[in-house]
Amino acid sequence: MSGFESAVHLFHSGGLVMYPLLILSLITIAIAVERFYYYRLNRKGSRVFFHGVYHAALQKDFNTIGKLCKEFPSAISRIIESGMENDGTEISMKGAFSDRMSMESINFRRYLDYLSAIVTIAPLLGLLGTVTGMIQTFSVLDAGGGGAAAITGGVGEALVATASGLCVAIIAFCVYTYFSHQLDTIVTDTERLCATVITAKKESWDAK
């Protein structure tokens, strides 16, 4: 029996719950791929951007900050650009930073709640497979026949379903944790950069 045939046989031996678990695993993979490209797109050149904006702010070269926002289009640059467009007062600038940060954070968090749900649902489906497999086993025993093959088949279904549910949950949890950590890093770094820009602008506000 080839590896593919073995995998198909193992899949079918897990019972009906293997189908929703397969769907959940595909959803997890799809979210992981989509989020990877979204985060990659919105962090492209972020190191150079952060470095450039930080040093431009220290030198109070706000024109350069505007140019960098245009040169490195991303969620982070849109946040900085929003604050620069509302730099009349410290309150307005902070408000612009905060509002844009909230909007961009929503986009970064998109689909992560689905992963959190999958982490909870997948083990429950595996547990359901365990219960139905054991019910099948006891049904064979109650019938007083069926042989060892039928009994071990029910136990096998229970074990395969449980293992599959745990595997899907573990993968979803790893993906969720990775992108949550990435989001926390982005938010922390962006807040620090916003504070640097605000500090650089304080002299012009105090002069007024």
Side-chain angles (χ1 to χ4, degrees), residues 161-192:
T162 302
S164 300
L166 289 174
C167 286
V168 173
I170 290 170
I171 294 171
F173 179 73
C174 290
V175 174
Y176 175 84
T177 302
Y178 173 78
F179 287 113
S180 294
H181 175 70
Q182 292 292 311
L183 176 58
D184 290 341
T185 301
I186 291 170
V187 170
T188 301
D189 291 344
T190 305
E191 286 179 345
R192 188 180 298 117

PDB file of all heavy atoms in Angstrom, residues 161-192:
ATOM      1  N   ALA A 161      -9.394  10.095  15.142  1.00  0.00           N
ATOM      2  CA  ALA A 161     -10.149  11.342  15.220  1.00  0.00           C
ATOM      3  C   ALA A 161      -9.568  12.266  16.294  1.00  0.00           C
ATOM      4  O   ALA A 161      -9.412  13.472  16.080  1.00  0.00           O
ATOM      5  CB  ALA A 161     -11.623  11.047  15.521  1.00  0.00           C
ATOM      6  N   THR A 162      -9.225  11.690  17.430  1.00  0.00           N
ATOM      7  CA  THR A 162      -8.654  12.487  18.517  1.00  0.00           C
ATOM      8  C   THR A 162      -7.321  13.100  18.101  1.00  0.00           C
ATOM      9  O   THR A 162      -7.081  14.297  18.298  1.00  0.00           O
ATOM     10  CB  THR A 162      -8.441  11.615  19.767  1.00  0.00           C
ATOM     11  OG1 THR A 162      -9.692  11.050  20.157  1.00  0.00           O
ATOM     12  CG2 THR A 162      -7.892  12.451  20.908  1.00  0.00           C
ATOM     13  N   ALA A 163      -6.445  12.267  17.538  1.00  0.00           N
ATOM     14  CA  ALA A 163      -5.132  12.745  17.111  1.00  0.00           C
ATOM     15  C   ALA A 163      -5.260  13.826  16.037  1.00  0.00           C
ATOM     16  O   ALA A 163      -4.541  14.828  16.064  1.00  0.00           O
ATOM     17  CB  ALA A 163      -4.300  11.580  16.591  1.00  0.00           C
ATOM     18  N   SER A 164      -6.175  13.633  15.102  1.00  0.00           N
ATOM     19  CA  SER A 164      -6.367  14.604  14.018  1.00  0.00           C
ATOM     20  C   SER A 164      -6.868  15.937  14.566  1.00  0.00           C
ATOM     21  O   SER A 164      -6.395  17.009  14.161  1.00  0.00           O
ATOM     22  CB  SER A 164      -7.353  14.061  12.981  1.00  0.00           C
ATOM     23  OG  SER A 164      -6.874  12.859  12.415  1.00  0.00           O
ATOM     24  N   GLY A 165      -7.822  15.868  15.482  1.00  0.00           N
ATOM     25  CA  GLY A 165      -8.343  17.094  16.079  1.00  0.00           C
ATOM     26  C   GLY A 165      -7.271  17.869  16.819  1.00  0.00           C
ATOM     27  O   GLY A 165      -7.184  19.093  16.715  1.00  0.00           O
ATOM     28  N   LEU A 166      -6.419  17.151  17.548  1.00  0.00           N
ATOM     29  CA  LEU A 166      -5.338  17.805  18.278  1.00  0.00           C
ATOM     30  C   LEU A 166      -4.310  18.405  17.328  1.00  0.00           C
ATOM     31  O   LEU A 166      -3.803  19.513  17.565  1.00  0.00           O
ATOM     32  CB  LEU A 166      -4.655  16.796  19.210  1.00  0.00           C
ATOM     33  CG  LEU A 166      -5.479  16.349  20.431  1.00  0.00           C
ATOM     34  CD1 LEU A 166      -4.751  15.249  21.187  1.00  0.00           C
ATOM     35  CD2 LEU A 166      -5.764  17.528  21.353  1.00  0.00           C
ATOM     36  N   CYS A 167      -4.002  17.701  16.243  1.00  0.00           N
ATOM     37  CA  CYS A 167      -3.022  18.211  15.266  1.00  0.00           C
ATOM     38  C   CYS A 167      -3.507  19.500  14.625  1.00  0.00           C
ATOM     39  O   CYS A 167      -2.747  20.467  14.493  1.00  0.00           O
ATOM     40  CB  CYS A 167      -2.757  17.157  14.189  1.00  0.00           C
ATOM     41  SG  CYS A 167      -1.743  15.780  14.751  1.00  0.00           S
ATOM     42  N   VAL A 168      -4.786  19.524  14.217  1.00  0.00           N
ATOM     43  CA  VAL A 168      -5.350  20.733  13.599  1.00  0.00           C
ATOM     44  C   VAL A 168      -5.331  21.890  14.597  1.00  0.00           C
ATOM     45  O   VAL A 168      -4.968  23.023  14.255  1.00  0.00           O
ATOM     46  CB  VAL A 168      -6.790  20.471  13.109  1.00  0.00           C
ATOM     47  CG1 VAL A 168      -7.435  21.776  12.629  1.00  0.00           C
ATOM     48  CG2 VAL A 168      -6.797  19.443  11.988  1.00  0.00           C
ATOM     49  N   ALA A 169      -5.692  21.601  15.858  1.00  0.00           N
ATOM     50  CA  ALA A 169      -5.710  22.646  16.883  1.00  0.00           C
ATOM     51  C   ALA A 169      -4.307  23.180  17.154  1.00  0.00           C
ATOM     52  O   ALA A 169      -4.113  24.386  17.306  1.00  0.00           O
ATOM     53  CB  ALA A 169      -6.319  22.098  18.174  1.00  0.00           C
ATOM     54  N   ILE A 170      -3.323  22.300  17.198  1.00  0.00           N
ATOM     55  CA  ILE A 170      -1.948  22.712  17.465  1.00  0.00           C
ATOM     56  C   ILE A 170      -1.419  23.603  16.340  1.00  0.00           C
ATOM     57  O   ILE A 170      -0.791  24.641  16.585  1.00  0.00           O
ATOM     58  CB  ILE A 170      -1.038  21.481  17.650  1.00  0.00           C
ATOM     59  CG1 ILE A 170      -1.375  20.777  18.970  1.00  0.00           C
ATOM     60  CG2 ILE A 170       0.434  21.878  17.627  1.00  0.00           C
ATOM     61  CD1 ILE A 170      -0.715  19.429  19.129  1.00  0.00           C
ATOM     62  N   ILE A 171      -1.693  23.203  15.092  1.00  0.00           N
ATOM     63  CA  ILE A 171      -1.238  23.998  13.948  1.00  0.00           C
ATOM     64  C   ILE A 171      -1.898  25.379  13.963  1.00  0.00           C
ATOM     65  O   ILE A 171      -1.231  26.409  13.783  1.00  0.00           O
ATOM     66  CB  ILE A 171      -1.545  23.277  12.629  1.00  0.00           C
ATOM     67  CG1 ILE A 171      -0.702  21.994  12.527  1.00  0.00           C
ATOM     68  CG2 ILE A 171      -1.267  24.184  11.429  1.00  0.00           C
ATOM     69  CD1 ILE A 171      -1.079  21.102  11.370  1.00  0.00           C
ATOM     70  N   ALA A 172      -3.220  25.403  14.197  1.00  0.00           N
ATOM     71  CA  ALA A 172      -3.945  26.675  14.239  1.00  0.00           C
ATOM     72  C   ALA A 172      -3.430  27.559  15.371  1.00  0.00           C
ATOM     73  O   ALA A 172      -3.285  28.778  15.211  1.00  0.00           O
ATOM     74  CB  ALA A 172      -5.443  26.417  14.413  1.00  0.00           C
ATOM     75  N   PHE A 173      -3.122  26.944  16.513  1.00  0.00           N
ATOM     76  CA  PHE A 173      -2.611  27.714  17.655  1.00  0.00           C
ATOM     77  C   PHE A 173      -1.241  28.304  17.351  1.00  0.00           C
ATOM     78  O   PHE A 173      -0.961  29.457  17.706  1.00  0.00           O
ATOM     79  CB  PHE A 173      -2.525  26.806  18.889  1.00  0.00           C
ATOM     80  CG  PHE A 173      -1.996  27.506  20.105  1.00  0.00           C
ATOM     81  CD1 PHE A 173      -2.775  28.423  20.794  1.00  0.00           C
ATOM     82  CD2 PHE A 173      -0.707  27.264  20.560  1.00  0.00           C
ATOM     83  CE1 PHE A 173      -2.285  29.079  21.913  1.00  0.00           C
ATOM     84  CE2 PHE A 173      -0.209  27.915  21.674  1.00  0.00           C
ATOM     85  CZ  PHE A 173      -0.998  28.822  22.357  1.00  0.00           C
ATOM     86  N   CYS A 174      -0.392  27.528  16.688  1.00  0.00           N
ATOM     87  CA  CYS A 174       0.944  28.030  16.323  1.00  0.00           C
ATOM     88  C   CYS A 174       0.845  29.211  15.362  1.00  0.00           C
ATOM     89  O   CYS A 174       1.546  30.212  15.508  1.00  0.00           O
ATOM     90  CB  CYS A 174       1.774  26.908  15.697  1.00  0.00           C
ATOM     91  SG  CYS A 174       2.284  25.622  16.856  1.00  0.00           S
ATOM     92  N   VAL A 175      -0.039  29.089  14.362  1.00  0.00           N
ATOM     93  CA  VAL A 175      -0.225  30.171  13.393  1.00  0.00           C
ATOM     94  C   VAL A 175      -0.776  31.411  14.090  1.00  0.00           C
ATOM     95  O   VAL A 175      -0.307  32.535  13.868  1.00  0.00           O
ATOM     96  CB  VAL A 175      -1.168  29.731  12.256  1.00  0.00           C
ATOM     97  CG1 VAL A 175      -1.475  30.897  11.319  1.00  0.00           C
ATOM     98  CG2 VAL A 175      -0.554  28.574  11.462  1.00  0.00           C
ATOM     99  N   TYR A 176      -1.773  31.204  14.953  1.00  0.00           N
ATOM    100  CA  TYR A 176      -2.383  32.316  15.690  1.00  0.00           C
ATOM    101  C   TYR A 176      -1.348  33.017  16.572  1.00  0.00           C
ATOM    102  O   TYR A 176      -1.270  34.260  16.597  1.00  0.00           O
ATOM    103  CB  TYR A 176      -3.532  31.792  16.549  1.00  0.00           C
ATOM    104  CG  TYR A 176      -4.155  32.832  17.448  1.00  0.00           C
ATOM    105  CD1 TYR A 176      -5.138  33.694  16.953  1.00  0.00           C
ATOM    106  CD2 TYR A 176      -3.774  32.964  18.780  1.00  0.00           C
ATOM    107  CE1 TYR A 176      -5.716  34.660  17.775  1.00  0.00           C
ATOM    108  CE2 TYR A 176      -4.336  33.928  19.597  1.00  0.00           C
ATOM    109  CZ  TYR A 176      -5.306  34.767  19.074  1.00  0.00           C
ATOM    110  OH  TYR A 176      -5.863  35.729  19.887  1.00  0.00           O
ATOM    111  N   THR A 177      -0.538  32.237  17.285  1.00  0.00           N
ATOM    112  CA  THR A 177       0.467  32.808  18.175  1.00  0.00           C
ATOM    113  C   THR A 177       1.521  33.590  17.397  1.00  0.00           C
ATOM    114  O   THR A 177       1.936  34.684  17.817  1.00  0.00           O
ATOM    115  CB  THR A 177       1.156  31.694  18.990  1.00  0.00           C
ATOM    116  OG1 THR A 177       0.167  30.964  19.736  1.00  0.00           O
ATOM    117  CG2 THR A 177       2.181  32.277  19.942  1.00  0.00           C
ATOM    118  N   TYR A 178       1.929  33.055  16.256  1.00  0.00           N
ATOM    119  CA  TYR A 178       2.949  33.717  15.446  1.00  0.00           C
ATOM    120  C   TYR A 178       2.484  35.098  14.986  1.00  0.00           C
ATOM    121  O   TYR A 178       3.201  36.097  15.166  1.00  0.00           O
ATOM    122  CB  TYR A 178       3.299  32.856  14.236  1.00  0.00           C
ATOM    123  CG  TYR A 178       4.218  33.542  13.248  1.00  0.00           C
ATOM    124  CD1 TYR A 178       5.584  33.645  13.500  1.00  0.00           C
ATOM    125  CD2 TYR A 178       3.718  34.097  12.075  1.00  0.00           C
ATOM    126  CE1 TYR A 178       6.434  34.290  12.605  1.00  0.00           C
ATOM    127  CE2 TYR A 178       4.560  34.731  11.174  1.00  0.00           C
ATOM    128  CZ  TYR A 178       5.906  34.830  11.442  1.00  0.00           C
ATOM    129  OH  TYR A 178       6.729  35.470  10.549  1.00  0.00           O
ATOM    130  N   PHE A 179       1.277  35.160  14.418  1.00  0.00           N
ATOM    131  CA  PHE A 179       0.801  36.437  13.886  1.00  0.00           C
ATOM    132  C   PHE A 179       0.400  37.401  15.004  1.00  0.00           C
ATOM    133  O   PHE A 179       0.522  38.618  14.838  1.00  0.00           O
ATOM    134  CB  PHE A 179      -0.357  36.219  12.913  1.00  0.00           C
ATOM    135  CG  PHE A 179       0.075  35.647  11.601  1.00  0.00           C
ATOM    136  CD1 PHE A 179      -0.290  34.372  11.218  1.00  0.00           C
ATOM    137  CD2 PHE A 179       0.890  36.368  10.742  1.00  0.00           C
ATOM    138  CE1 PHE A 179       0.131  33.829  10.013  1.00  0.00           C
ATOM    139  CE2 PHE A 179       1.322  35.842   9.537  1.00  0.00           C
ATOM    140  CZ  PHE A 179       0.940  34.563   9.173  1.00  0.00           C
ATOM    141  N   SER A 180      -0.049  36.877  16.137  1.00  0.00           N
ATOM    142  CA  SER A 180      -0.337  37.747  17.279  1.00  0.00           C
ATOM    143  C   SER A 180       0.944  38.402  17.785  1.00  0.00           C
ATOM    144  O   SER A 180       0.958  39.587  18.137  1.00  0.00           O
ATOM    145  CB  SER A 180      -0.991  36.940  18.416  1.00  0.00           C
ATOM    146  OG  SER A 180      -2.259  36.470  18.034  1.00  0.00           O
ATOM    147  N   HIS A 181       2.020  37.614  17.808  1.00  0.00           N
ATOM    148  CA  HIS A 181       3.316  38.167  18.222  1.00  0.00           C
ATOM    149  C   HIS A 181       3.796  39.217  17.226  1.00  0.00           C
ATOM    150  O   HIS A 181       4.314  40.276  17.625  1.00  0.00           O
ATOM    151  CB  HIS A 181       4.344  37.046  18.331  1.00  0.00           C
ATOM    152  CG  HIS A 181       5.729  37.528  18.639  1.00  0.00           C
ATOM    153  ND1 HIS A 181       6.086  38.059  19.870  1.00  0.00           N
ATOM    154  CD2 HIS A 181       6.859  37.588  17.872  1.00  0.00           C
ATOM    155  CE1 HIS A 181       7.355  38.410  19.843  1.00  0.00           C
ATOM    156  NE2 HIS A 181       7.849  38.145  18.652  1.00  0.00           N
ATOM    157  N   GLN A 182       3.626  38.935  15.933  1.00  0.00           N
ATOM    158  CA  GLN A 182       4.008  39.905  14.906  1.00  0.00           C
ATOM    159  C   GLN A 182       3.223  41.201  15.072  1.00  0.00           C
ATOM    160  O   GLN A 182       3.789  42.303  14.952  1.00  0.00           O
ATOM    161  CB  GLN A 182       3.759  39.316  13.516  1.00  0.00           C
ATOM    162  CG  GLN A 182       4.668  38.162  13.144  1.00  0.00           C
ATOM    163  CD  GLN A 182       6.111  38.606  12.964  1.00  0.00           C
ATOM    164  OE1 GLN A 182       6.392  39.569  12.266  1.00  0.00           O
ATOM    165  NE2 GLN A 182       7.025  37.900  13.611  1.00  0.00           N
ATOM    166  N   LEU A 183       1.931  41.082  15.347  1.00  0.00           N
ATOM    167  CA  LEU A 183       1.089  42.267  15.525  1.00  0.00           C
ATOM    168  C   LEU A 183       1.536  43.072  16.736  1.00  0.00           C
ATOM    169  O   LEU A 183       1.620  44.310  16.679  1.00  0.00           O
ATOM    170  CB  LEU A 183      -0.373  41.846  15.676  1.00  0.00           C
ATOM    171  CG  LEU A 183      -1.377  42.969  15.978  1.00  0.00           C
ATOM    172  CD1 LEU A 183      -1.334  44.043  14.891  1.00  0.00           C
ATOM    173  CD2 LEU A 183      -2.779  42.404  16.110  1.00  0.00           C
ATOM    174  N   ASP A 184       1.820  42.393  17.844  1.00  0.00           N
ATOM    175  CA  ASP A 184       2.285  43.089  19.050  1.00  0.00           C
ATOM    176  C   ASP A 184       3.585  43.851  18.781  1.00  0.00           C
ATOM    177  O   ASP A 184       3.767  44.982  19.258  1.00  0.00           O
ATOM    178  CB  ASP A 184       2.498  42.081  20.188  1.00  0.00           C
ATOM    179  CG  ASP A 184       1.193  41.515  20.711  1.00  0.00           C
ATOM    180  OD1 ASP A 184       0.151  42.142  20.474  1.00  0.00           O
ATOM    181  OD2 ASP A 184       1.222  40.442  21.345  1.00  0.00           O
ATOM    182  N   THR A 185       4.481  43.226  18.020  1.00  0.00           N
ATOM    183  CA  THR A 185       5.751  43.878  17.681  1.00  0.00           C
ATOM    184  C   THR A 185       5.518  45.120  16.832  1.00  0.00           C
ATOM    185  O   THR A 185       6.122  46.178  17.062  1.00  0.00           O
ATOM    186  CB  THR A 185       6.667  42.900  16.922  1.00  0.00           C
ATOM    187  OG1 THR A 185       6.906  41.744  17.738  1.00  0.00           O
ATOM    188  CG2 THR A 185       7.996  43.553  16.577  1.00  0.00           C
ATOM    189  N   ILE A 186       4.628  44.995  15.831  1.00  0.00           N
ATOM    190  CA  ILE A 186       4.321  46.125  14.952  1.00  0.00           C
ATOM    191  C   ILE A 186       3.719  47.285  15.744  1.00  0.00           C
ATOM    192  O   ILE A 186       4.112  48.446  15.579  1.00  0.00           O
ATOM    193  CB  ILE A 186       3.359  45.684  13.829  1.00  0.00           C
ATOM    194  CG1 ILE A 186       4.070  44.732  12.870  1.00  0.00           C
ATOM    195  CG2 ILE A 186       2.829  46.897  13.059  1.00  0.00           C
ATOM    196  CD1 ILE A 186       3.137  44.060  11.870  1.00  0.00           C
ATOM    197  N   VAL A 187       2.758  46.968  16.611  1.00  0.00           N
ATOM    198  CA  VAL A 187       2.093  48.006  17.403  1.00  0.00           C
ATOM    199  C   VAL A 187       3.088  48.702  18.328  1.00  0.00           C
ATOM    200  O   VAL A 187       3.113  49.936  18.420  1.00  0.00           O
ATOM    201  CB  VAL A 187       0.930  47.394  18.223  1.00  0.00           C
ATOM    202  CG1 VAL A 187       0.393  48.415  19.227  1.00  0.00           C
ATOM    203  CG2 VAL A 187      -0.189  46.935  17.298  1.00  0.00           C
ATOM    204  N   THR A 188       3.923  47.915  18.998  1.00  0.00           N
ATOM    205  CA  THR A 188       4.902  48.491  19.925  1.00  0.00           C
ATOM    206  C   THR A 188       5.897  49.391  19.207  1.00  0.00           C
ATOM    207  O   THR A 188       6.166  50.523  19.644  1.00  0.00           O
ATOM    208  CB  THR A 188       5.660  47.371  20.660  1.00  0.00           C
ATOM    209  OG1 THR A 188       4.733  46.552  21.373  1.00  0.00           O
ATOM    210  CG2 THR A 188       6.673  47.959  21.630  1.00  0.00           C
ATOM    211  N   ASP A 189       6.441  48.905  18.093  1.00  0.00           N
ATOM    212  CA  ASP A 189       7.423  49.693  17.340  1.00  0.00           C
ATOM    213  C   ASP A 189       6.800  50.965  16.764  1.00  0.00           C
ATOM    214  O   ASP A 189       7.423  52.034  16.766  1.00  0.00           O
ATOM    215  CB  ASP A 189       8.016  48.851  16.202  1.00  0.00           C
ATOM    216  CG  ASP A 189       8.912  47.735  16.723  1.00  0.00           C
ATOM    217  OD1 ASP A 189       9.305  47.790  17.897  1.00  0.00           O
ATOM    218  OD2 ASP A 189       9.199  46.802  15.945  1.00  0.00           O
ATOM    219  N   THR A 190       5.559  50.841  16.275  1.00  0.00           N
ATOM    220  CA  THR A 190       4.887  52.002  15.679  1.00  0.00           C
ATOM    221  C   THR A 190       4.559  53.046  16.743  1.00  0.00           C
ATOM    222  O   THR A 190       4.708  54.251  16.514  1.00  0.00           O
ATOM    223  CB  THR A 190       3.607  51.567  14.948  1.00  0.00           C
ATOM    224  OG1 THR A 190       3.918  50.559  13.987  1.00  0.00           O
ATOM    225  CG2 THR A 190       2.975  52.751  14.232  1.00  0.00           C
ATOM    226  N   GLU A 191       4.110  52.605  17.906  1.00  0.00           N
ATOM    227  CA  GLU A 191       3.813  53.539  18.991  1.00  0.00           C
ATOM    228  C   GLU A 191       5.077  54.285  19.421  1.00  0.00           C
ATOM    229  O   GLU A 191       5.027  55.490  19.702  1.00  0.00           O
ATOM    230  CB  GLU A 191       3.218  52.786  20.181  1.00  0.00           C
ATOM    231  CG  GLU A 191       1.778  52.345  19.967  1.00  0.00           C
ATOM    232  CD  GLU A 191       1.229  51.581  21.155  1.00  0.00           C
ATOM    233  OE1 GLU A 191       2.048  51.145  22.014  1.00  0.00           O
ATOM    234  OE2 GLU A 191       0.000  51.406  21.233  1.00  0.00           O
ATOM    235  N   ARG A 192       6.190  53.572  19.458  1.00  0.00           N
ATOM    236  CA  ARG A 192       7.456  54.206  19.827  1.00  0.00           C
ATOM    237  C   ARG A 192       7.858  55.248  18.788  1.00  0.00           C
ATOM    238  O   ARG A 192       8.324  56.338  19.130  1.00  0.00           O
ATOM    239  CB  ARG A 192       8.547  53.137  19.958  1.00  0.00           C
ATOM    240  CG  ARG A 192       9.864  53.684  20.534  1.00  0.00           C
ATOM    241  CD  ARG A 192      10.913  52.592  20.642  1.00  0.00           C
ATOM    242  NE  ARG A 192      10.489  51.542  21.552  1.00  0.00           N
ATOM    243  CZ  ARG A 192      10.268  50.285  21.197  1.00  0.00           C
ATOM    244  NH1 ARG A 192      10.425  49.925  19.938  1.00  0.00           N
ATOM    245  NH2 ARG A 192       9.913  49.386  22.080  1.00  0.00           N
TER     246      ARG A 192
END
